[in-house]
Amino acid sequence: MQFLSFLTWPRAITLGRVALAGGTLAQVASLPDRTPVPLYIALFAFLVYAVALVFRSRLESGAFGLLALFVDTVFFLVLAGFWPADLLWLATFFYLFLLLEAVTFFGPVEACLVVAASTGFCLLSPGGRSLDLARTALVAGVVACLFSANKIRSDQTVTRLKARVVETEEAKVKALEDERERIASDFHDGPLQSFISLQMRLDILRRLLERDISSGIEDLRQLQTLAQSQVSDLRAFLNSMRPAEIDTTNLMASARRTAERFQKESGIPVTFLGVNSQIALKRETSGEVLQMLREALNNVQKHSGATRVAVAVDKTDRGLEVSIDDNGRGFTFSGAYSLEELELLRLGPASLKRRARALNADLVLESRPGRGAGVKFRIPL
């Protein structure tokens, strides 16, 4: 495993350069009568240079990488132009190594420059002895350039996909944080306030029992009724935390089931009005719409004291419209307010406003103190 981690592509190419340099020098040594001494010196210098590159820590592209590519190209031209014809096969091997180096460390521009220089030099060599090598250089070079261009496109695609993954992870983290904030806000406004109220009533009951047992018993009955109400509120809160049952092919059916379940659990009659046509949305959008409906109904149960609720779902040219109206106490304020006005005046349920912003939905909250309230939101399709 340590060897595999050591033998990366840059390291493999560096070791391949050493092997080619050593093999070339060995082949030259086998022909002492036909090889000039300056070529021996050049080959030995190249071998020393190749060995020295093995001990460099940075082997990838850059200014030094371009210099190495240039030196390797010059060495190939020496092989192609000044060697005996029966040893030109070594030049072919080195040319393939040169293309691999250009494609691995650089892009199509550098690869095309290497191909053009190598092919042109082989064509211009005296006597035409490098003509076969020129054809090989051209064909292999074109393939290498096309591969390098495709590699660049693939790298760009991978970069874009990585950026999307990062964006998705950030969106996931933000969604989790928003959901935690919403749950904390709902728990603070609902069950926590109920338990605080229960604690205060228990303290009052203790003091009352110390003075008058009969009055304390009566207050205990009221406290029992309050506890039952709080259990109902807590059950409604827990139900609102459960994932909504989503039918992605028909949002209308899912909304109808949500209203029916609310009526069964709360005991408050619900009138549901909806179109007969199917409404298909993305699963995420459908889930947010149903969650807003559940939260609005949950608020009716907890705060309004209503005896009737009307839910309407309709699909228009302007989008999907959902409205919830009750005949309860209403809010402390009076009138109809848009989402922007509610945020400016800091009125209305925070969780509904937050979800409306996430869906880019229009929200209108109408309060009729003593006669009920209504909330209407429109989601663009």
Side-chain angles (χ1 to χ4, degrees), residues 36-142:
V37 174
L39 188 56
Y40 271 120
I41 298 175
L43 293 175
F44 183 76
F46 185 78
L47 177 61
V48 173
Y49 153 78
V51 173
L53 288 184
V54 175
F55 299 98
R56 262 189 73 85
S57 58
R58 290 180 60 85
L59 304 169
E60 61 272 11
S61 59
F64 191 86
L66 284 172
L67 179 61
L69 182 63
F70 174 77
V71 173
D72 292 342
T73 304
V74 171
F75 182 69
F76 165 74
L77 298 180
V78 171
L79 295 181
F82 301 103
W83 276 42
D86 55 351
L87 291 181
L88 285 179
W89 61 272
L90 278 173
T92 302
F93 273 104
F94 200 88
Y95 179 70
L96 296 178
F97 164 80
L98 193 62
L99 292 180
L100 180 62
E101 178 184 4
V103 170
T104 302
F105 293 151
F106 303 98
V109 175
E110 291 81 0
C112 288
L113 289 176
V114 169
V115 173
S118 302
T119 305
F121 183 85
C122 292
L123 289 174
L124 296 176
S125 295
R129 65 175 186 167
S130 299
L131 187 60
D132 291 339
L133 184 59
R135 284 195 289 266
T136 302
L138 181 60
V139 174
V142 170

Side-chain angles (χ1 to χ4, degrees), residues 242-251 254 257 279-292 294 320 355 359 379 381:
R242 295 192 180 100
E245 296 181 5
I246 304 172
D247 184 353
T248 56
T249 62
N250 193 350
L251 177 64
S254 298
R257 285 196 298 268
I279 301 176
L281 298 176
K282 292 182 179 179
R283 184 175 184 84
E284 295 80 5
T285 304
S286 298
E288 287 295 311
V289 171
L290 293 178
Q291 193 63 32
M292 289 183 71
R294 286 170 53 172
L320 177 67
R355 291 188 183 277
L359 289 173
I379 299 93
L381 300 178

